[in-house]
Amino acid sequence: MTDRELINIAVEAAGEAYAPYSGQKVGAALECADGVVFTGCNVENASYGLTACAERTAVFKAVSEGRRAFLRLAVYMAGEEYCMPCGACRQVLQEFAPELEVLSARGDGRYVSYALRELLPHPFTLKTGE
Ligand code: THU
């Protein structure tokens, strides 16, 4: 799958966003090692702090469906800014995919690409048996 195809899936996912408070509809498309793509959107709440970001929605959907190995993530938000994953999402992404590639696309279709390691250079980790 090309970067552009993954971004197009994120664009479509943004259409499902529930963002009545911020008005910022965000979509995410997470490519798993087996080729399956899980989508996510932001889901806001009247109690603002309960909002779920698009990226975490996608990760939690994927893990709950049996995937833990991820290759690429595309994030899309309309407008002039590149929507970069927030700090909490970076930490959640790195739990499963420290080598992840992160694409962020804006309204005009341009996109930037980063290694998650660049976005979260010194992550908090704990060794587990899993
Ligand atoms: N948001 C995301 O979904 N992903 C990000 O990486 C940053 C922010 C959402 C949360 C909230 O619904 C809206 O964007 C404005 O912060």
Side-chain angles (χ1 to χ4, degrees):
M1 174 172 299
T2 64
D3 285 356
R4 187 58 64 191
E5 285 168 335
L6 195 64
I7 289 165
N8 286 342
I9 296 171
V11 171
E12 204 169 309
E16 302 298 338
Y18 175 71
Y21 303 106
S22 75
Q24 312 257 246
K25 295 185 167 204
V26 184
L30 182 63
E31 179 188 42
C32 303
D34 65 1
V36 174
V37 175
F38 284 85
T39 61
C41 63
N42 53 333
V43 183
E44 296 188 346
N45 191 274
S47 178
Y48 292 0
L50 298 182
T51 291
C53 290
E55 299 91 320
R56 269 177 289 163
T57 301
V59 173
F60 295 151
K61 282 172 67 178
V63 173
S64 66
E65 297 288 337
R67 272 69 170 197
R68 295 184 184 178
F70 309 124
L71 303 177
R72 258 185 315 174
L73 170 77
V75 183
Y76 171 80
M77 189 175 76
E80 295 176 1
E81 305 292 329
Y82 292 110
C83 179
M84 299 303 298
C86 76
C89 288
R90 293 175 196 199
Q91 178 68 25
V92 169
L93 290 163
Q94 94 83 39
E95 178 79 20
F96 297 101
E99 309 294 337
L100 190 71
E101 182 184 0
V102 177
L103 314 175
S104 176
R106 64 185 189 187
D108 66 2
R110 293 179 69 107
Y111 71 98
V112 290
S113 167
Y114 295 93
L116 180 60
R117 277 198 194 286
E118 292 177 83
L119 303 179
L120 190 67
H122 300 286
F124 175 68
T125 58
L126 288 175
K127 293 213 185 315
T128 73
E130 290 215 34

